[in-house]
Amino acid sequence: MLRADPEAGYSTETVVITALLVALAIGAVAVIASKVLTTANNINTGTDRRDGPAEAAHASAPAKASVVSRPAR
C-alpha cells in the first residue's frame, strides 16, 4: 500500500500552476537583471571605453592656441 488516501497528493492543476509561476518569476528576474546591467553599463565614469585613460585625458585637455601668421610689411 503506497498511501492511505490516494487523493492526498498534489493535483495536476497545482503542479502546472506552480510551474507557470516559476517560469514567470524567472522571466521577471531576467528582465530586471537586463535593465540593471544596461543601467550599470551606461554610468558615465569620465572615460571612454574605446580609449584608454591616457587618450581620454588628452581629449579633455584644452586645445592649443593656433598661431596666426601676419603678412609681411
Side-chain angles (χ1 to χ4, degrees), residues 1-11:
M1 180 155 116
L2 293 175
R3 290 185 211 159
D5 184 8
E7 298 295 323
Y10 285 108
S11 67

Side-chain angles (χ1 to χ4, degrees), residues 34-47:
S34 173
K35 288 182 183 270
V36 167
L37 288 175
T38 300
T39 302
N41 287 331
N42 288 333
I43 293 174
N44 184 8
T45 60
T47 60

Side-chain angles (χ1 to χ4, degrees), residues 7-42:
E7 298 295 323
Y10 285 108
S11 67
T12 304
E13 293 174 24
T14 305
V15 172
V16 170
I17 290 172
T18 303
L20 288 174
L21 290 173
V22 169
L24 287 173
I26 291 172
V29 168
V31 168
I32 291 169
S34 173
K35 288 182 183 270
V36 167
L37 288 175
T38 300
T39 302
N41 287 331
N42 288 333

